Amino acid sequence: MAEKTSAISLNRRQLLGATAATGLVLTSGPATAAGGKPDLTGKSILITGCSSGFGYLGAIYYQTLGARVFATMRNMPRKEADELYGETMAEGPAFDILELDVLSDESVATAVAEAERLNGGALDVVINNAGIGTGAPVELQDIETMRLLFDTNVMGYQRVARAALPAMRAKKSGLIVNVSSQLGRVMVPGMGLYSSTKFAVESMSEQMAYELVPHGVDVTIVQPGGFPTKIWENGNRYTAPMLERADDERKAAYQALVDGALRNSGGSTDPMDVPRAIAGVIAMASGKRPLRLPVHPGGKPQLAINDVSAKTQVAMLGSSPFGPWVKDVNGRT
């Protein structure tokens, strides 16, 4: 284990004391431990994108709840991995950090296979969390940027799910958690193609949820609102060179949006809300987990869209051969 270093986010004491409400009402009986927190004892969880943000915080938190964690990140070795090790419980459940680059089929397959080997079989939970964002209008998103966004945010999720699902299906048990966004249901001008990738995640995940019903594997789509993680700060690394490549006429046509394209904040909300909400879903009984999980202490503009979408799916397919799957998934609360 790496020498303990200063935490870059919350320390373990803060995490252990983090019991504030998330606004999520779990009506399907999650397992709870002393103190009312979810009990993840015995669960094996692989998480992508653990160098910062929800992935970093979640990896630490799930271990404190009893889970056996496989935290992953690309470009190992790196200081963020040392810092993450320094935040874990030495006497807690096993905790491993594996190199995984969601852009690489080989890297994903190798990391998932190693996690399954160390776990002694299928993973209980996979959390697809790694993602990037860019700013500026859609017209300024060149093909290089568009390809990177979709390869990371959509195909990256697909790579990881495809690697983990065969063992889950064989076990007739498992949970895929795909982190989407409020912006996977609504969109804001000047946010690049981030919403486009999250809309794709939403549809891909919902279809997968239906198709996995007979295999006993659940899918939950997490829809965070704005939180102060590093996604937009990191995204500036892609937005800035994209703007450099853009011609002056295009930039001048959208000057106000270009001026606001570089961001460094997601507000003053508590990013621990998201790992706490995910832990609650993990602790729920198989077949009872909700399809969508909105998480934010403020407004959730996607709720009405989620509701009409569920009703439309049931109305369209409820009487078809797919009806039992669609009703099952959309009937969970």
Side-chain angles (χ1 to χ4, degrees), residues 113-128:
E114 177 64 3
E116 290 174 341
R117 185 190 70 80
L118 292 170
N119 190 51
L123 297 164
D124 293 307
V125 183
V126 165
I127 302 175
N128 271 315

Side-chain angles (χ1 to χ4, degrees), residues 46-285:
L46 182 143
I47 316 158
T48 67
C50 291
S51 64
S52 66
F54 303 141
Y56 184 99
L57 296 173
I60 300 166
Y61 183 56
Y62 306 140
Q63 190 203 30
T64 70
L65 300 179
R68 198 263 194 257
V69 174
F70 299 96
T72 74
M73 61 185 76
R74 62 182 176 175
N75 299 329
M76 296 263 285
R78 55 191 294 182
K79 68 181 181 64
E80 290 87 351
D82 293 339
E83 291 168 338
L84 180 54
Y85 264 132
E87 284 293 291
T88 62
M89 299 186 301
E91 303 305 319
F95 188 105
D96 287 281
I97 301 180
L98 304 177
E99 181 167 20
L100 187 156
D101 183 349
V102 299
L103 298 177
S104 165
D105 293 357
E106 181 180 2
S107 175
V108 169
T110 299
V112 171
E114 177 64 3
E116 290 174 341
R117 185 190 70 80
L118 292 170
N119 190 51
L123 297 164
D124 293 307
V125 183
V126 165
I127 302 175
N128 271 315
N129 166 75
I132 60 173
T134 57
V138 170
E139 186 181 343
L140 271 65
Q141 310 290 308
D142 55 25
I143 300 304
E144 178 181 340
T145 302
M146 186 177 188
R147 184 177 292 114
L148 179 61
L149 282 163
F150 275 86
D151 202 6
T152 304
N153 295 359
V154 183
M155 287 179 276
Y157 281 24
Q158 176 73 340
R159 288 186 182 98
V160 176
R162 276 172 50 85
L165 277 172
M168 287 183 173
R169 284 189 288 99
K171 189 180 177 182
K172 290 287 186 180
S173 176
L175 170 64
I176 303 291
V177 176
N178 284 342
V179 178
S180 177
S181 171
Q182 285 184 353
L183 294 177
R185 289 302 217 179
V186 296
M187 66 220 63
V188 177
M191 300 292 284
L193 292 170
Y194 181 76
S195 281
S196 300
T197 65
K198 293 303 184 181
F199 268 66
V201 166
E202 293 273 342
S203 60
M204 179 176 71
S205 303
E206 183 168 342
Q207 182 175 334
M208 184 184 294
Y210 299 149
E211 294 163 352
L212 288 172
V213 168
H215 297 288
V217 178
D218 296 335
V219 177
T220 292
I221 306 162
V222 182
Q223 298 175 324
F227 287 95
T229 67
K230 290 186 175 181
I231 186 168
W232 298 116
E233 178 185 334
N234 291 339
N236 291 340
R237 294 180 298 173
Y238 310 109
T239 301
M242 179 194 70
L243 292 177
E244 287 293 322
R245 295 192 299 269
D247 62 70
D248 292 340
E249 188 279 329
R250 292 185 196 272
K251 288 187 283 190
Y254 302 99
Q255 194 61 58
L257 294 177
V258 169
D259 289 344
L262 300 178
R263 299 175 173 84
N264 58 14
S265 174
S268 58
T269 47
D270 182 2
M272 271 302 300
D273 283 356
V274 174
R276 283 194 293 260
I278 291 174
V281 169
I282 294 171
M284 295 173 75

